[in-house]
Amino acid sequence: MQQRGMNTISKKAVKVWRLSGILYSLIGIAFAIGLTVLTKFLDWPNWTIVIYWTLALLDFIFLTLMLPSLRWKWWRYEVREGEIDIQKGIFVVKRTLFPMNRVQHVDTKQGPIFRKYGLSTVIISTAATIHEIPALESHEADELRRKISSLASVGEDDV
């Protein structure tokens, strides 16, 4: 299903998503610590502690080692004169194709982690939905925003 000729997002996305995975995994680790303490106070069986920590470890492995690379591998986009094509998903791959004349406005956003790595997200709004193309190099995101804005305004003039 992966399409040739479609654009990829920045490879730096893997690093950013791994960092985010570590931060989210800390929540699971804190939860495992809390349940471990609770198990000792409530005199629950010790095998429950093994379950908490196994789940926390699996969560860490999935969110930091597996998921970021898979997400990057399947994220694709292409901006053509009359339409925008976005492909995303890991287990269920979703392709969204929407006409350029439906685009109402285009934004870029950049959180603190993205800013550290020089990345931005392009946000494309239509009347019904909002679409995002994440983790583009900031200069590439600005260029893409200008290109989509230009193509969308041309489409409106032709109607």
Side-chain angles (χ1 to χ4, degrees), residues 80-98:
R80 296 183 281 269
E81 191 171 320
E83 60 198 8
I84 300 173
D85 189 358
I86 297 175
Q87 174 184 302
K88 61 183 175 179
I90 297 168
F91 303 112
V92 176
V93 178
K94 178 181 178 184
R95 289 212 42 206
T96 305
L97 183 68
F98 55 97

Side-chain angles (χ1 to χ4, degrees), residues 48-59:
T48 58
I49 295 172
V50 174
I51 291 174
Y52 309 147
W53 285 99
T54 300
L55 291 174
L57 178 63
L58 290 174
D59 180 58

